[in-house]
Amino acid sequence: MESNKQEKSMSIVMLPYLAHGHVSPFYELAKRLSIKGFHIYFCSTPICLEPIRNINHFDHDHMNIHLIDLQLPSSFHQELPPHYHSTTNLPPHLVKTLLAAFDASKPAFSDILKTLRPELVIYDVFQPWAVEAARELNIEAVLFSTSVQSQRIKYDVTYLIESNKELMEYLLENSVNGLTPIQRFFQCVTSSSGHVVLVKSSTEIQAKFGKPADVFGDLVPVGPLVQRPQDHDGDEKIMDWLNKKEASSVVFVSFGSESFLSQEEIEEMAHGLELSNVDFIWVVRFHGGHNNVKTIHEALPQGFLDRIQIQGKGLILDWAPQAKILAHTSSGGFVSHCGWNSTLEGMMYGVPIIAIPQGGDQPLNATLAVDMGVAIEVPARGEKKITRQEVAKAIKTVVVEEQGKEVRRRAKELSENWKKKEDEEFHVAVEKLLQLVQQSKN
């Protein structure tokens, strides 16, 4: 097969769901495909594309990626203004409205496809209408699954029901336009061209699940697709602080862009970090300004900021370059909500995880990380709340104490293995896509 010739001539439209946890891995996949010579049309709402447009040197580094604005129908704008065309900071009562508006954007998406005439569409798990739009124009369409949750459904629905009833209730009961999330998912899986489903995963993770049912076709790992460390304005202070710390001595604390601790949990986390006596960087976020807490000073225990500043023990930030911090030699632990992107970043950079899952697929991700030997979990599921003692104990175990030696060793080992196999796994995925499109042409 003349791969180079085919790669250079092949164009792809990519359509992620309107959430940062979906847009980010889709964009990482777009970057890897663009390096291979594919022409990528990355399609989403303007608010979802805004962070990508703000990336330094975008035009120079990724000339094969073109950003395409998808406008949600104006009939939704009164209830759902453009700054809510993303799940980030979206009020909970508007979640279903956003999905309904996304569904209603099929005509606009079809117009984009008619104009661009790509050879392939890569779509997400919540929009079966994207496959319909592609098929109506005789364009192949392949599903890209960005979470381990959807991969686990492929193997064992019973496991999900028993391990995370709250998640399964959401997947089975929250209907929009007559479709529950689980129905959307299965429609997207079974409609994927050639029964090929790309998964943000590795062969090592896939091996943990065993063989999927035949209905799910060919699951093709594209690798972890973690962000590469990038320079941002204001990084110097953080990097200077890290550079002064010993190797593997700092714990990084972040709960992602859409998970937020309560006031009580913030206080317990603060005391836990102090009790651990481990240096830390903590990203403290509040939900879209709706939280009653107005400032970090009001959220944190009295005197906490003064104490850590005097001692030089920690940095409190409202945003941080996560990949850059995790890749730093001083990082020795990652307190995480275990969103799938964050979990894979911790694994890829060899930083053992202190798991405190909040909801959704995060408990499943935490369990997987523990099973793979690269994490320990703070007991805080269900009715059990985060306590300072458990936080301090977990951090000290992972970063300092002898009993955490095996977790630290396994994290480094997994990271080295993944880095060796990353290009090979991605090459296999690329060949699958080329074969699929070529067969369609023939």
Side-chain angles (χ1 to χ4, degrees):
M1 180 182 298
E2 297 177 8
S3 295
N4 291 336
K5 182 178 179 181
Q6 292 180 51
E7 287 175 11
K8 289 177 181 176
S9 64
M10 185 168 161
S11 63
I12 303 174
V13 167
M14 301 182 68
L15 182 70
Y17 179 57
L18 306 179
H20 175 75
H22 290 246
V23 172
S24 177
F26 260 74
Y27 184 60
E28 289 303 314
L29 178 59
K31 289 194 290 186
R32 308 294 168 86
L33 290 171
S34 74
I35 291 170
K36 289 287 186 179
F38 293 100
H39 293 281
I40 307 298
Y41 297 97
F42 196 86
C43 186
S44 193
T45 57
I47 191 69
C48 285
L49 294 178
E50 186 176 320
I52 298 174
R53 288 196 163 104
N54 291 336
I55 293 173
N56 291 338
H57 311 303
F58 170 81
D59 288 334
H60 299 290
D61 292 344
H62 303 292
M63 293 295 288
N64 285 336
I65 303 179
H66 307 276
L67 303 184
I68 308 296
D69 288 327
L70 177 70
Q71 302 293 344
L72 301 189
S74 58
S75 57
F76 286 86
H77 284 195
Q78 183 171 354
E79 185 177 8
L80 198 74
H83 64 276
Y84 281 154
H85 293 181
S86 162
T87 60
T88 302
N89 295 330
L90 183 72
H93 73 278
L94 290 178
V95 170
K96 287 187 176 183
T97 305
L98 178 63
L99 187 53
F102 198 32
D103 285 351
S105 69
K106 181 189 173 184
F109 184 63
S110 294
D111 288 342
I112 289 170
L113 295 183
K114 289 174 185 176
T115 300
L116 298 175
R117 288 290 175 176
E119 288 152 290
L120 182 68
V121 169
I122 298 179
Y123 62 97
D124 212 334
V125 295
F126 291 126
Q127 52 258 34
W129 49 266
V131 188
E132 295 172 4
R135 293 288 155 72
E136 287 164 4
L137 297 169
N138 295 316
I139 300 169
E140 298 296 334
V142 169
L143 174 65
F144 174 37
S145 172
T146 63
S147 74
V148 79
Q149 159 198 328
S150 52
Q151 295 167 47
R152 195 67 191 246
I153 292 172
K154 297 174 178 62
Y155 298 91
D156 192 351
V157 175
T158 303
Y159 168 84
L160 270 177
I161 293 172
E162 292 176 350
S163 66
N164 198 330
K165 292 183 179 179
E166 180 183 340
L167 173 60
M168 287 310 296
E169 285 175 4
Y170 167 77
L171 293 173
L172 292 168
E173 296 175 7
N174 281 272
S175 177
V176 173
N177 291 329
L179 290 175
T180 64
I182 199 74
Q183 289 171 325
R184 289 173 181 270
F185 167 74
F186 278 112
Q187 282 192 25
C188 286
V189 169
T190 56
S191 300
S192 193
S193 291
H195 301 293
V196 170
V197 176
L198 304 178
V199 289
K200 178 181 163 71
S201 184
S202 71
T203 51
E204 195 160 4
I205 290 174
Q206 297 302 117
K208 281 283 180 182
F209 299 144
K211 188 179 185 300
D214 291 338
V215 67
F216 295 107
D218 189 5
L219 300 182
V220 182
V222 293
L225 294 181
V226 303
Q227 289 188 353
R228 304 300 192 209
Q230 294 177 326
D231 293 329
H232 302 83
D233 293 338
D235 285 357
E236 295 83 1
K237 176 185 174 183
I238 301 170
M239 293 300 113
D240 287 346
W241 188 87
L242 275 173
N243 290 338
K244 296 172 184 175
K245 303 299 179 180
E246 294 182 7
S248 303
S249 67
V250 176
V251 66
F252 176 59
V253 185
S254 177
F255 287 81
S257 59
E258 297 184 22
S259 293
F260 306 93
L261 298 180
S262 67
Q263 176 64 49
E264 180 183 354
E265 289 170 330
I266 288 173
E267 292 180 5
E268 289 301 307
M269 180 61 64
H271 288 301
L273 287 166
E274 277 197 290
L275 284 173
S276 75
N277 201 34
V278 170
D279 293 340
F280 63 89
I281 296 175
W282 182 10
V283 182
V284 181
R285 294 190 182 98
F286 308 115
H287 190 289
H290 299 292
N291 196 304
N292 289 329
V293 176
K294 296 295 189 299
T295 68
I296 288 177
H297 283 81
E298 292 171 329
L300 296 169
Q302 187 172 5
F304 175 77
L305 284 173
D306 292 335
R307 290 193 297 274
I308 65 170
Q309 187 172 4
I310 292 170
Q311 297 165 5
K313 296 296 291 182
L315 288 180
I316 302 294
L317 308 167
D318 58 7
W319 179 88
Q322 180 164 300
K324 197 171 181 180
I325 291 172
L326 292 175
H328 197 282
T329 56
S330 294
S331 292
F334 181 18
V335 177
S336 174
H337 65 310
C338 287
W340 191 228
N341 294 332
S342 290
T343 302
L344 290 180
E345 281 190 9
M347 291 179 177
M348 192 66 179
Y349 291 117
V351 181
I353 298 168
I354 298 101
I356 309 181
Q358 301 295 290
D361 64 344
Q362 296 162 19
L364 298 175
N365 303 339
T367 298
L368 175 67
V370 172
D371 287 347
M372 295 185 74
V374 299
I376 66 170
E377 184 175 348
V378 173
R381 292 199 193 188
E383 298 299 317
K384 193 169 179 61
K385 296 182 178 180
I386 296 173
T387 68
R388 62 194 70 181
Q389 292 82 6
E390 293 289 358
V391 168
K393 178 182 177 182
I395 291 173
K396 285 192 290 185
T397 297
V398 164
V399 181
V400 179
E401 295 178 350
E402 181 66 21
Q403 67 187 96
K405 184 177 180 179
E406 180 59 22
V407 174
R408 296 191 290 271
R409 184 199 67 78
R410 176 58 181 150
K412 297 296 182 187
E413 178 184 69
L414 182 66
S415 171
E416 291 169 4
N417 290 341
W418 277 10
K419 287 172 182 175
K420 290 176 184 176
K421 296 191 298 185
E422 188 176 19
D423 289 341
E424 179 184 335
E425 287 186 343
F426 193 72
H427 177 74
V428 171
V430 166
E431 289 299 314
K432 289 277 187 183
L433 296 181
L434 289 170
Q435 290 169 13
L436 181 67
V437 171
Q438 190 61 33
Q439 287 168 4
S440 174
K441 288 180 179 178
N442 293 339

